[in-house]
């Protein structure tokens, strides 16, 4: 998830683009760059790190020109560095890109065979070279771009310049956001509204498969295939702060709604559907190394620990390897037993969590194989681990983790497929079924998010409770823990998660008409047992909020309140279950007036012990 800005008009482009990038820095802050066209040529300035570095660079080496593009990067392919920063250039073509190109390796190999040399590690540079190569046989810039984009698989929003056409700016999108701002004889392009809100309130929101060409003071919209479009502008009256949040009241709510996109990005380019396998480009373990693993220890903190717990169910159930889940803060202090046949998996959104980094170092010192799952490319944990699976959640601003959590689950599921194929516990047909289920997740998350208003009404009913219990069995138990944590984090209500079968071993003493009990009871292998536990709560006067499969009349008839989610494969259904629990915590917190995005006493990344 990166931020792009483009400008064409009569003003100097650099100040406008730089100001726009400042408004988009929440989308990425690994590196940044700007390119402009002037005097028959182009100039590019790029800097690693936060945008202030680029701003200082531009003071020393300013850019002039009334046409330009800019980018602030959240690394997905290639570590954060100046060479991997955008814009990228190939011949006369200059480009910025947001998204993931799934077939970039195939395209890169084809382009190398005809003489192209690549400077960066990014998938984005491939697009610039592809357009340059196409220009050898199709001199018309617009047609060359159309032909090139038709060869891409994956997600992109691109702004493209051509040194040979200094009065032209092209932009197109497929699967990544893009908005066009209409001014008086000038035009703006950006990933999000806040980047250009200071210059115009008239916006055109582009749809997938669309392109816009700015030339001679006009904007021409079309499909990428070339069919003309009549796009209507929309007047935006958001405040600048609301615009940064995409119109949502809080970053947390925005990030909850970004989960379908985050899931798509995390699986993009990794599914080998015909083989029933996955390609994890930065894992770097051979089948032989994976098959030699006899034991796995997953180490994490907080929300990441809950994803680790579900990962235990995945790996033990499908790969038949024993798995332990350890708190990173405790790992070093219990004299852990590890050897060369043990794999330590550390999970951290930021890749900088102090306890998790220390646990990784301890595991390495004991001779264990090791790998990481994290969201930040080239973070400390990613650099020190022998292998890594990056999630592609994009920057997460809200302290309470949401989209990072679901993408960690996706990463663990992908690893389970890869491990099972390597040690022969998952055959090709089973792998194909798992991948088919995985591809459904994003769309079903979209359906589940439609529960938002319903959950808001439920929150009003229960917001004054002083205590909550969350219950789940099997793979749903980690989601019960995560739901309770979310409520505690942002609403400051005491909440506890338990395995549903443990209720009768103590916690049932807490049940009365004042304690809401959230029961996760979707159809599946633990359904009847959980339903029985729910009956035990009802018999003691408990107020049950049941999260169940859509159309489950048995649950609907028994529970005080029901939230119905779409049905999915039992292994992946916990991802859908997590959404209404996130929304419930969010809406209760809003109703209570707490600081949702920055709850008291908490930090986004815990970098000290």
């Amino acid at each position: 998830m990166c931020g792009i800005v483009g400008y064409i008009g009569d003003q100097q482009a650099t100040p406008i683009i730089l100001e726009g990038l400042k408004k988009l820095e929440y989308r990425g802050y690994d590196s940044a760059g700007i390119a402009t066209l002037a005097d028959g040529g182009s100039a590019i300035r790029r800097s690693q790190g936060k945008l202030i570095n680029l701003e200082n660079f531009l003071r020393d080496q300013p850019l002039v020109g009334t046409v330009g593009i800019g980018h602030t990067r959240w690394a997905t392919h290639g570590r954060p560095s100046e060479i991997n920063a955008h814009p990228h250039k190939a011949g006369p073509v200059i480009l910025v890109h947001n998204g993931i190109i799934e077939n970039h390796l195939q395209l890169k190999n084809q382009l190398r065979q005809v003489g192209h040399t690549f400077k960066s590690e990014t998938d984005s540079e491939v697009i610039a070279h592809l357009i340059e190569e196409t220009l050898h046989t199709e001199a018309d810039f617009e047609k060359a771009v159309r032909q090139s984009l038709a060869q891409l698989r994956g997600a992109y929003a691109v702004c493209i310049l051509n040194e040979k056409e200094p009065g032209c700016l092209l932009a197109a999108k497929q699967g990544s956001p893009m908005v066009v701002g209409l001014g008086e004889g000038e035009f703006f392009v950006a990933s999000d509204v806040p980047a250009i809100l200071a210059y115009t309130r008239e916006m055109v929101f582009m749809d997938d498969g669309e392109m816009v060409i700015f030339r001679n003071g006009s904007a021409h919209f079309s499909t990428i295939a070339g069919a003309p479009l009549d796009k209507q502008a929309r007047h935006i009256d958001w405040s600048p702060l609301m615009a940064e949040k995409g119109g949502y009241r809080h970053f947390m709510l925005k990030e909850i709604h970004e989960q379908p996109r985050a899931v798509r990005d995390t699986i993009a380019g990794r599914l080998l559907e015909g083989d029933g396998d996955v390609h994890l480009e930065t894992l770097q373990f051979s089948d032989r190394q994976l098959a030699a693993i006899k034991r796995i220890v997953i180490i994490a903190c907080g929300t990441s620990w809950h994803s680790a717990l579900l990962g235990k169910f995945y790996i033990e159930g499908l790969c038949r390897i024993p798995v332990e889940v350890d708190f990173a803060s405790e790992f070093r202090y219990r004299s852990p037993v590890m050897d060369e046949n043990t794999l330590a998996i550390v999970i951290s959104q930021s890749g900088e969590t102090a306890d998790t980094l220390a646990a990784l170092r301890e595991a390495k010192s004991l001779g264990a194989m090791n790998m990481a799952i994290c969201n930040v490319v080239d973070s400390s944990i990613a650099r020190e681990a022998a292998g890594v699976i990056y999630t592609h959640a994009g920057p997460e601003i809200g302290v309470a983790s949401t989209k990072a959590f679901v993408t960690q689950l996706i990463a663990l599921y992908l690893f389970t497929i890869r491990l099972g194929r390597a040690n022969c516990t998952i055959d090709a047909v089973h792998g194909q079924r798992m991948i088919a289920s995985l591809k459904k997740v994003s769309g079903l998350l979209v359906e589940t998010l439609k529960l938002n208003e319903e959950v808001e009404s439920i929150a009003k009913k229960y917001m004054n409770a002083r205590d909550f219990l969350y219950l789940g069995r099997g793979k749903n138990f980690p989601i019960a823990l995560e739901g309770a944590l979310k409520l505690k984090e942002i609403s400051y209500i005491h909440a506890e998660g338990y395995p549903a079968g443990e209720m009768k071993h103590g916690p049932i003493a807490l049940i009365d008409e004042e304690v809401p009990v959230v029961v996760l009871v979707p159809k599946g292998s633990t359904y009847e047992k959980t339903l029985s536990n729910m009956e035990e709560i009802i018999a003691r006067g408990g107020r049950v909020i049941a999260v169940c499969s859509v159309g489950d009349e048995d649950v609907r008839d028994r529970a005080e309140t029901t939230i119905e989610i779409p049905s999915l494969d039992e292994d992946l259904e916990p991802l859908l279950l997590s959404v209404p629990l996130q929304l419930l915590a969010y809406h209760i917190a809003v109703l209570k007036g707490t600081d949702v995005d920055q709850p008291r006493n908490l930090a986004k990344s815990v970098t000290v012990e």
Side-chain angles (χ1 to χ4, degrees), residues 333-365:
Y333 305 109
R334 66 171 182 83
S335 300
V337 178
M338 309 189 92
D339 59 24
E340 67 276 5
N341 294 320
T342 302
L343 172 66
I345 303 175
V346 297
I347 306 177
S348 167
Q349 186 282 138
S350 67
E352 303 293 344
T353 310
D355 285 321
T356 309
L357 181 58
L360 171 63
R361 290 168 176 166
E362 179 75 6
K364 290 171 69 175
S365 73

Side-chain angles (χ1 to χ4, degrees), residues 121-152:
E121 303 165 305
T122 70
D123 57 339
S124 307
E125 188 186 358
V126 171
I127 310 172
H129 283 269
L130 186 60
I131 297 169
E132 183 200 14
E133 180 62 27
T134 308
L135 282 169
H136 293 159
T137 55
E138 173 53 73
D140 185 286
F141 178 44
E142 179 183 332
K143 290 180 180 178
V145 171
R146 294 186 192 279
Q147 291 176 22
S148 300
L149 295 181
Q151 299 179 58
L152 304 181

Side-chain angles (χ1 to χ4, degrees), residues 75-86:
T76 55
H77 290 81
R79 67 191 187 283
S81 67
E82 188 275 332
I83 202 68
N84 288 330
H86 298 220

Side-chain angles (χ1 to χ4, degrees), residues 368-408:
M369 295 176 62
N370 62 90
M371 59 172 280
I373 294 173
C374 70
N375 191 37
V376 181
V377 173
D378 214 34
S379 57
S380 297
I381 287 172
R383 289 197 307 272
E384 294 198 23
V388 61
I389 302 174
Y390 286 116
T391 59
H392 294 315
E396 192 173 61
I397 307 301
V399 166
S401 182
T402 52
K403 61 178 180 174
F405 174 66
V406 299
T407 54
Q408 287 170 355

Side-chain angles (χ1 to χ4, degrees), residues 272 276-280 283 285-288 290-291 319 389 412-424 426 434:
L272 305 175
D277 205 345
V278 299
H279 169 63
L280 299 172
L283 189 57
F285 292 145
S286 67
D287 281 9
R288 184 174 180 178
L290 291 172
C319 301
I389 302 174
L412 285 161
Y413 196 73
L414 290 170
F415 176 72
T416 300
I417 297 173
R418 180 79 281 279
L419 179 60
R421 296 292 283 122
N423 73 4
C424 301
I426 297 173
M434 292 174 72

Side-chain angles (χ1 to χ4, degrees), residues 458 461-462 467-472 500 503 508 511-521 530-548 554-563 581 584:
I458 292 168
K461 185 175 179 180
Y462 296 98
D467 302 278
F468 271 73
L469 293 176
Y470 287 71
L471 304 180
M503 280 299 294
I508 202 165
I511 300 297
D512 63 22
E513 65 279 1
E514 299 298 323
V515 179
V517 183
V518 179
V519 183
L520 306 181
V521 58
T530 310
L531 198 62
S532 176
N533 298 138
M534 191 176 85
E535 293 278 17
E536 293 170 353
I537 297 163
I538 295 168
R540 287 157 179 81
R543 306 176 68 190
V544 170
I545 306 168
V547 186
C548 62
D554 288 336
V555 173
R556 196 185 298 155
D557 291 343
R558 290 168 170 79
E560 180 177 288
T561 299
T562 57
I563 303 171
L581 303 192
L584 182 64

Side-chain angles (χ1 to χ4, degrees), residues 405-479:
F405 174 66
V406 299
T407 54
Q408 287 170 355
L409 297 181
I410 293 292
L412 285 161
Y413 196 73
L414 290 170
F415 176 72
T416 300
I417 297 173
R418 180 79 281 279
L419 179 60
R421 296 292 283 122
N423 73 4
C424 301
T425 56
I426 297 173
D427 62 23
V429 174
H430 189 185
Q432 289 167 354
R433 289 200 302 268
M434 292 174 72
I435 288 171
S437 294
L438 191 56
K439 291 177 67 178
K440 295 177 183 176
V441 172
S442 179
L444 291 176
L445 283 171
V446 172
E447 290 300 308
T448 309
L449 284 163
K450 293 177 181 177
L451 294 166
N452 182 48
E453 291 186 8
E454 179 183 334
V455 175
E456 184 177 10
S457 297
I458 292 168
K460 293 175 183 176
K461 185 175 179 180
Y462 296 98
M463 63 174 285
N464 292 318
R466 295 184 60 185
D467 302 278
F468 271 73
L469 293 176
Y470 287 71
L471 304 180
R473 276 183 178 265
K475 298 180 185 73
N476 301 327
F477 165 52
I479 306 304

